[in-house]
Amino acid sequence: MSSVPFLNTPEALRQLANQPHTPCQCSLQHCAGWESVSEAVWPAQQMQRVATLRDPDVYEPTFEEQHPNGTRYDSADAPVALKFFPYNRCDVHVCGKCQQHALRYTEFGGYYVDPRARRLAAERITD
């Protein structure tokens, strides 16, 4: 069982995204879309995991993506759709310096592990 709350509605995620934050110079500034953020670059000392989007009742979440307007997985304007990949495999973190929220998950390939992050923007969260 997770020690952080499971957010299962767009409204709950929007509440986090709408919390005030200030400019910060951390490595997340370049993460408008999904970006590789290695453990060496992830600002772990200032990040706190505050929620998860992983449904504890779903053993194998879908890999289907949602792109109704022709966006791509790594597009800065791609929708944040909770029930679709990769959001259904994410945790939500907050920066202790600027209070910016970020989504994080790990991409697993045949021979690699790639931690990825995306800043959370309320206007991208869809139903």
Side-chain angles (χ1 to χ4, degrees):
M1 181 140 225
S2 178
S3 61
V4 296
F6 165 52
L7 302 181
N8 62 351
T9 66
E11 294 77 24
L13 189 57
R14 277 190 203 103
Q15 281 186 329
L16 283 182
N18 283 325
Q19 291 179 359
H21 59 275
T22 59
C24 182
Q25 297 306 312
C26 73
S27 59
L28 299 176
Q29 293 312 303
H30 74 280
C31 297
W34 285 110
E35 299 291 338
S36 293
V37 180
S38 70
E39 293 299 325
V41 177
W42 177 254
Q45 68 282 359
Q46 66 199 50
M47 299 303 288
Q48 177 184 0
R49 188 170 72 119
V50 295
T52 187
L53 304 182
R54 302 174 195 198
D55 187 337
D57 295 328
V58 175
Y59 177 72
E60 185 62 38
T62 184
F63 281 103
E64 183 180 349
E65 297 180 30
Q66 184 182 46
H67 297 286
N69 297 319
T71 56
R72 293 176 25 92
Y73 157 86
D74 59 349
S75 300
D77 60 343
V80 175
L82 278 64
K83 306 244 186 277
F84 292 88
F85 179 81
Y87 307 99
N88 57 2
R89 296 166 186 263
C90 287
D91 288 325
V92 183
H93 297 259
V94 65
C95 175
K97 290 186 177 181
C98 68
Q99 286 66 55
Q100 170 71 56
H101 286 83
L103 302 171
R104 190 168 195 224
Y105 86 102
T106 302
E107 177 79 28
F108 293 97
Y111 298 100
Y112 69 92
V113 174
D114 187 11
R116 305 242 176 148
R118 181 180 185 185
R119 285 190 328 265
L120 186 57
E123 66 273 9
R124 299 284 174 236
I125 301 168
T126 63
D127 293 331

